[in-house]
Amino acid sequence: MSDTVKYILPESEIPKNWYNITADLPKAPPPVLNPGTGEPLGPDDLAPLFPMDLILQEVSSERYIDIPEPVREIYKQWRPSPLYRARRLEKALDTPAKIYYKYEGVSPTGSHKPNTAVAQAFYNKEAGVKKISTETGAGQWGSSLAFAGSIFGLEIQVYMVKVSFEQKPYRKAMMESFGATCIASPSDTTKFGKAYLAKNPDSTGSLGIAISEAVEVAATNDDVKYSLGSVLNHVLMHQTIVGSEALKQMEMAGDYPDVIVGCTGGGSNFAGLMFPFLGEKLRDGSNLRVVAVEPAACPSLTKGKYAYDFGDTGNMTPLTKMHTLGSTFVPSGFHAGGLRYHGMAPLISHLKELDLLEAYAFHQNACFEAGVTFGREEGIIPAPEANHAVKGAIEEALRCKRDGKSETILFNLCGHGHFDMQAYTEYFSGNLEDRNYDEQELAMALSGLPSVGN
Ligand SMILES: *Cc1c(COP(=O)(O)O)cnc(C)c1O
């Protein structure tokens, strides 16, 4: 039917495996390094932080990894997620382009994050872990791990970046509803947090700081493991369920994307949608373009340096080679809290170096404007993070209009904005600031990059 707007797969079509793009890369990504010795890390080095099954996924080069049946059972609550054709938006933009979006806001917590939260909670439970510590920016990850923890009977402790803790109080209530604990970071519950607060009493926090606190709790307690909601290879891999479904749904639509767009904080929702398609390009060749959109106030891919860096401000993590603004970089308190990370996933960074993806940065007002346009046509209010993907998709559609091209655009609508309406209120009242990153602070943060590996 020519006017179909929704492509739905039956439960039986939930993919049976995750896709590991490492198997198809033309060149292997650089190894993770021990910051003390500069030597590549082995699986055992990560054992204090993660269960072994996840560590083996992190370093695997097998193309497909089976999704455990109990995880697929839980996925059934909201997966397969719908793929939509944005027909009203196409009309409003008067573009010859076809715009499709995969909608991850149908999950219990309203974003793509439960795709990996459920998997991580499962493997931790299997390994006998009782408690997991983690950080969260806008609260999407914290509430998703809290949800997964409640299903598997795991205790979850979340360090939430203070500026978001104050902007989004309902996220904390959501985590508590699932039985988790949520602490504003920096906090006085960790050694690192206390020391940081002593030097920066008015700190509004950052993901890098919150990660240090969560890692410290896991590293100093035998019965606690740590979990990360983005950036790591295994997290990106769990998210490929999104793209594997979308492959089948695009086939139902009788279409194939010319360009895939996603917003990038740590890179997981973008990777999740585009890796399975990019894998086809790497194996069989195609003209597919993939486009990452990031905030101009925290532009790791477009302005960061490709270098070895720590994943956290307290320098407790291993060193990974990635596009980074420096682990001490603290972005301004703009509203897409999920995009305020100083680094980019090593796999996404590697693909950028291989010229396999493009990256653009936009200011938040332009992104909210795009999100509001989208909402008025499609009836879904995107999360502030997702507004960056919407902006990127609209830019592509307008390019098609200028060039008279009927290309097919696919983007990831990675979450809804129902917990973020305060940000919309500020946008409508003209109170959202378009701040650039601080050049001086960036220079300083980059001058502090570790010498090991660089
Ligand atoms: C966490 C989050 C992001 C940023 O994380 P990625 O790993 O880059 O996907 C983006 N959008 C939403 C809705 C999020 O919850």
Side-chain angles (χ1 to χ4, degrees):
M1 250 179 23
S2 65
D3 53 354
T4 307
V5 298
K6 183 159 103 266
Y7 299 91
I8 299 277
L9 294 165
E11 257 174 37
S12 56
E13 290 288 317
I14 294 176
K16 295 205 163 53
N17 43 52
W18 292 299
Y19 168 61
N20 180 7
I21 199 165
T22 311
D24 291 317
L25 290 175
K27 186 177 160 207
V32 175
L33 300 182
N34 177 318
T37 63
E39 292 298 313
L41 283 191
D44 288 341
D45 297 316
L46 294 170
L49 293 186
F50 303 105
M52 196 44 76
D53 281 335
L54 289 175
I55 296 172
L56 294 177
Q57 290 181 6
E58 186 66 18
V59 299
S60 169
S61 52
E62 291 207 20
R63 182 171 289 123
Y64 297 107
I65 292 189
D66 288 345
I67 302 176
E69 206 43 47
V71 173
R72 278 185 87 241
E73 278 302 314
I74 295 166
Y75 281 167
K76 281 182 187 170
Q77 187 185 349
W78 71 97
R79 306 214 70 85
S81 68
L83 177 86
Y84 289 100
R85 169 104 182 254
R87 291 188 182 269
R88 290 192 297 266
L89 179 66
E90 290 169 14
K91 206 175 253 171
L93 298 173
D94 188 26
T95 175
K98 290 181 270 184
I99 306 174
Y100 294 86
Y101 59 96
K102 181 76 165 153
Y103 184 42
E104 290 296 307
V106 294
S107 82
T109 56
S111 77
H112 62 289
K113 298 262 173 32
N115 297 331
T116 185
V118 169
Q120 293 191 44
F122 169 80
Y123 289 113
N124 273 285
K125 183 72 182 182
E126 289 282 285
V129 174
K130 297 280 184 286
K131 175 172 170 179
I132 304 177
S133 65
T134 194
E135 71 293 324
T136 194
Q140 300 265 21
W141 171 243
S143 42
S144 300
L145 194 65
F147 154 67
S150 73
I151 291 182
F152 287 104
L154 292 162
E155 199 184 322
I156 306 292
Q157 181 164 322
V158 184
Y159 288 91
M160 183 167 183
V161 178
K162 195 179 276 168
V163 59
S164 294
F165 186 91
E166 283 158 7
Q167 279 171 350
K168 297 169 191 200
Y170 296 137
R171 279 285 171 191
K172 175 180 186 239
M174 193 173 185
M175 291 177 228
E176 288 173 344
S177 300
F178 289 129
T181 318
C182 176
I183 302 162
S185 166
S187 80
D188 60 8
T189 67
T190 62
K191 243 166 98 177
F192 177 74
K194 269 188 213 146
Y196 197 87
L197 277 176
K199 274 194 242 157
N200 312 275
D202 301 325
S203 170
T204 52
S206 71
L207 275 167
I209 295 166
I211 292 174
S212 294
E213 293 205 83
V215 167
E216 181 184 320
V217 172
T220 53
N221 290 282
D222 280 347
D223 56 344
V224 184
K225 295 281 183 213
Y226 167 71
S227 164
L228 190 60
S230 185
V231 177
L232 299 177
N233 300 347
H234 68 269
V235 179
L236 273 53
M237 189 186 72
H238 296 155
Q239 293 296 350
T240 59
I241 190 157
V242 176
S244 296
E245 287 176 5
L247 271 174
K248 297 185 201 180
Q249 288 163 310
M250 290 303 298
E251 198 176 318
M252 282 171 86
D255 232 330
Y256 197 86
D258 295 294
V259 51
I260 298 181
V261 182
C263 68
T264 46
S268 74
N269 86 81
F270 176 54
L273 178 62
M274 66 89 168
F275 276 4
F277 290 90
L278 188 62
E280 289 196 336
K281 171 172 170 164
L282 293 171
R283 292 192 300 276
D284 311 327
S286 77
N287 293 325
L288 174 71
R289 292 170 55 229
V290 295
V291 171
V293 182
E294 62 182 9
C298 191
S300 55
L301 266 178
T302 53
K303 296 280 196 258
K305 190 165 167 183
Y306 186 56
Y308 272 102
D309 197 7
F310 291 99
D312 70 317
T313 307
N315 297 357
M316 294 176 211
T317 68
L319 295 175
T320 51
K321 192 151 189 185
M322 59 182 176
H323 288 87
T324 179
L325 301 166
S327 65
T328 57
F329 182 83
V330 177
S332 63
F334 64 92
H335 264 284
L339 307 182
R340 267 199 312 247
Y341 186 55
H342 69 271
M344 183 48 59
L347 274 174
I348 297 289
S349 296
H350 183 61
L351 289 168
K352 172 97 185 329
E353 286 306 292
L354 296 175
D355 277 330
L356 285 165
L357 63 84
E358 301 164 35
Y360 302 97
F362 292 105
H363 282 294
Q364 61 176 348
N365 277 293
C367 295
F368 272 88
E369 185 187 4
V372 169
T373 300
F374 178 86
R376 286 179 187 171
E377 299 305 329
E378 299 295 317
I380 299 174
I381 299 169
E385 293 84 2
N387 281 343
H388 292 72
V390 175
K391 171 69 178 165
I394 290 180
E395 286 297 309
E396 291 294 327
L398 295 177
R399 174 187 56 77
C400 288
K401 179 177 173 178
R402 283 194 302 274
D403 300 347
K405 285 191 174 156
S406 58
E407 288 181 18
T408 298
I409 300 164
L410 169 62
F411 76 92
N412 199 351
L413 189 65
C414 50
H416 66 64
H418 299 176
F419 285 88
D420 308 285
M421 296 319 294
Q422 185 58 34
Y424 278 85
T425 300
E426 285 170 34
Y427 168 67
F428 291 125
S429 57
N431 290 335
L432 277 194
E433 272 185 81
D434 278 344
R435 269 196 271 173
N436 269 323
Y437 62 93
D438 186 325
E439 294 268 3
Q440 245 174 324
E441 194 189 331
L442 175 59
M444 205 157 86
L446 285 177
S447 72
L449 285 176
S451 53
V452 174
N454 293 316

